[in-house]
Amino acid sequence: MTSFQLRQSILLLITAVIWGSSFVAQSIGMDSVGPFTFTTSRTLLGAIVLLPLVVWRRTALVKTDPQEALRRSSRGYRRAFLMGGLSCGLCLFAGEAFQQFGLVFHTEAGKAGFITSLYIVLVPVMSTFLGRRSNLLMWTSVAVACAGLWYLCVPPEGISIALGDFFVFLCAFAFAVHILVIGHFVKTVDAVELSVSQFLFASLLGFIATALFETPTYQGWIEALPAILFAGILSNGVAYTLQVVGQRGMNETAASLIMSLESVFSVIAGWLVLGQVLTVRELAGCVVMGCAVVLAQIPVKPRRSSAG
């Protein structure tokens, strides 16, 4: 491994640590504010953190690449910027809101992290319906993940899944759509600018939902402020930026595998900070789901077409 690859891997590992630790912050924040209030606050903070970076990069771009700067000022780019921000922001808002509802209904931070990591397996499944065929190994990882989810969420005394676990699974589904939508728009829109745009739209949607369904208090928001600052500045703002920087020049499979370690760090953070302990059955489910995540990242060589 070269020094460049090592540096990029460390950046992605820090991203996974931040994302995994944010489950604890979200769980703590739920003691004082509602899920929509928390989601609105963290996404707005994420936009505020990234805005200076976008302005600085735009200013530098005029000097370093005038042609690209001119492209980003065109009507087509602005349209893609707005549509991408709206689409990604809607998915991001849904994912983070469902995740918060899961924690409200007492899904533990470690368990929420592992269920959320199902998005890595859901992406190829959803891609199949878009005309992209998945290989046998990918379908095997889906089956393994389902088995892990069963042991993680379904208690031995009954065939049922807790409501909080169901919300977190919907969160994983929303994040899977989020990844596919980003993959579409990032081809034409700068990644950091797309992040700012999605944060702004997500915070707007969160504000509307908060006004309709919640009555937050100033005292409650102040009590949740440390958790909001952690999730908004570090998880949304810093971690997303580190992801963009860390993935430059990295193999996509290796990068996604490193970032999927967020589920492991969520378990560690829940144990260290909240004192949460999973049962043997739930731990087994975590291990099986972790294996599914790894299986989903193994590259498969394309079959050679036989000569006719």
Side-chain angles (χ1 to χ4, degrees):
M1 177 181 290
T2 65
S3 59
F4 173 78
Q5 291 174 325
L6 178 61
R7 188 193 69 175
Q8 302 302 89
S9 297
I10 291 175
L11 290 177
L12 293 176
L13 184 62
I14 295 173
T15 301
V17 171
I18 295 175
W19 283 346
S21 302
S22 69
F23 284 102
V24 174
Q26 292 170 240
S27 182
I28 295 175
M30 287 299 90
D31 295 334
S32 305
V33 296
F36 290 133
T37 301
F38 192 93
T39 300
T40 304
S41 300
R42 68 177 293 186
T43 51
L44 181 59
L45 275 174
I48 293 173
V49 168
L50 288 182
L51 272 174
L53 178 62
V54 169
V55 173
W56 175 78
R57 294 174 80 245
R58 274 288 185 118
T59 304
L61 194 62
V62 175
K63 301 177 181 179
T64 59
D65 193 347
Q67 186 174 359
E68 175 62 17
L70 182 63
R71 185 186 75 88
R72 295 189 190 183
S73 62
S74 66
R75 179 179 298 179
Y77 183 88
R78 289 197 298 267
R79 185 185 300 112
F81 174 78
L82 292 175
M83 288 300 299
L86 177 60
S87 303
C88 296
L90 178 60
C91 295
L92 180 65
F93 166 73
E96 292 190 349
F98 279 132
Q99 196 173 72
Q100 290 304 123
F101 273 109
L103 294 172
V104 165
F105 287 94
H106 308 297
T107 296
E108 295 181 343
K111 182 192 286 188
F114 267 96
I115 299 176
T116 301
S117 68
L118 267 180
Y119 68 80
I120 299 178
V121 184
L122 287 173
V123 168
V125 176
M126 297 171 65
S127 296
T128 302
F129 293 96
L130 299 177
R132 305 172 189 172
R133 298 181 62 182
S134 297
N135 54 61
L136 179 60
L137 182 62
M138 203 60 67
W139 287 113
T140 302
S141 68
V142 172
V144 173
C146 290
L149 184 62
W150 176 273
Y151 280 102
L152 184 63
C153 300
V154 180
E157 62 274 8
I159 304 177
S160 64
I161 296 179
L163 183 59
D165 299 332
F166 176 70
F167 279 126
V168 179
F169 179 76
L170 291 179
C171 151
F173 182 85
F175 279 138
V177 178
H178 184 237
I179 291 173
L180 295 175
V181 173
I182 285 180
H184 174 74
F185 284 101
V186 80
K187 298 175 183 177
T188 54
V189 180
D190 176 75
V192 181
E193 293 183 4
L194 183 61
S195 291
V196 171
S197 181
Q198 70 170 352
F199 288 151
L200 289 174
F201 277 108
S203 61
L204 176 61
L205 292 171
F207 178 80
I208 295 173
T210 300
L212 291 176
F213 302 108
E214 295 179 358
T215 53
T217 63
Y218 176 76
Q219 182 62 33
W221 190 83
I222 290 297
E223 291 176 358
L225 186 57
I228 291 173
L229 289 174
F230 185 94
I233 296 176
L234 291 179
S235 179
N236 279 39
V238 176
Y240 273 95
T241 305
L242 288 178
Q243 177 191 7
V244 173
V245 176
Q247 281 193 239
R248 291 176 183 170
M250 282 283 291
N251 177 274
E252 291 184 356
T253 300
S256 58
L257 179 57
I258 295 172
M259 289 186 291
S260 72
L261 291 175
E262 65 170 300
S263 57
V264 176
F265 290 116
S266 70
V267 172
I268 297 175
W271 170 60
L272 291 176
V273 180
L274 302 179
Q276 295 178 345
V277 179
L278 298 178
T279 65
V280 174
R281 180 185 177 88
E282 290 170 338
L283 284 172
C286 288
V287 172
V288 173
M289 288 185 67
C291 292
V293 169
V294 173
L295 281 175
Q297 304 308 310
I298 296 177
V300 177
K301 293 182 180 180
R303 294 181 179 178
R304 294 182 178 180
S305 59
S306 57

